[in-house]
Amino acid sequence: MQSVFDVVALDTNRTLQAPTSGLTDPRYAYFAKSPLEIRVGQFVELIVPLAWSRHVAFSWGNSGPQSITTHLLVTGCPYTTEHKDWLVYPGA
C-alpha cells in the first residue's frame, strides 16, 4: 500500500484487473476493485481530475450506477480499541 501524507493509502503495487461492469454507460464499461485505507480520525476527499472524468470514476459499495461519482468524501471515524490506526475498505 502506498500512503499519501500518512492519511490515505492505496494499492499501487499491482496492475488491476478490469472486467466488464455490465453498465450501459460506455464511460464506465469496465471496473476494478482496489483496497482503500484511511487513517483513523481523518477526513479524506478523493477527486478525479476533470481531464480524466470521462474515463475514471468512483463507486462505493454495491449501490449500483447511481453511486458513480468523480468526487468521493470519506468522513473520519474516531479512534476505538478496535480501530486504532487504519480503517481498511477492501474494495470488494
Side-chain angles (χ1 to χ4, degrees), residues 9-90:
L10 300 166
D11 187 358
T12 60
N13 296 321
R14 65 185 174 96
T15 302
L16 297 175
Q17 296 179 20
T20 57
S21 68
L23 298 176
T24 57
D25 189 331
R27 295 176 298 170
Y28 312 120
Y30 299 93
F31 77 98
K33 296 178 181 182
S34 180
L36 174 69
E37 295 183 11
I38 299 173
R39 175 79 65 191
V40 168
Q42 297 295 317
F43 175 91
V44 174
E45 185 174 17
L46 301 172
I47 302 171
V48 174
L50 185 58
W52 295 2
S53 65
R54 294 189 58 188
H55 307 286
V56 177
F58 302 108
S59 180
W60 194 260
N62 294 322
S63 50
Q66 68 275 9
S67 69
I68 294 174
T69 184
T70 56
H71 193 166
L72 181 65
L73 301 173
V74 182
T75 57
C77 292
Y79 171 90
T80 67
T81 55
E82 186 178 341
H83 304 290
K84 296 179 182 179
D85 296 316
W86 292 89
L87 297 171
V88 179
Y89 301 92

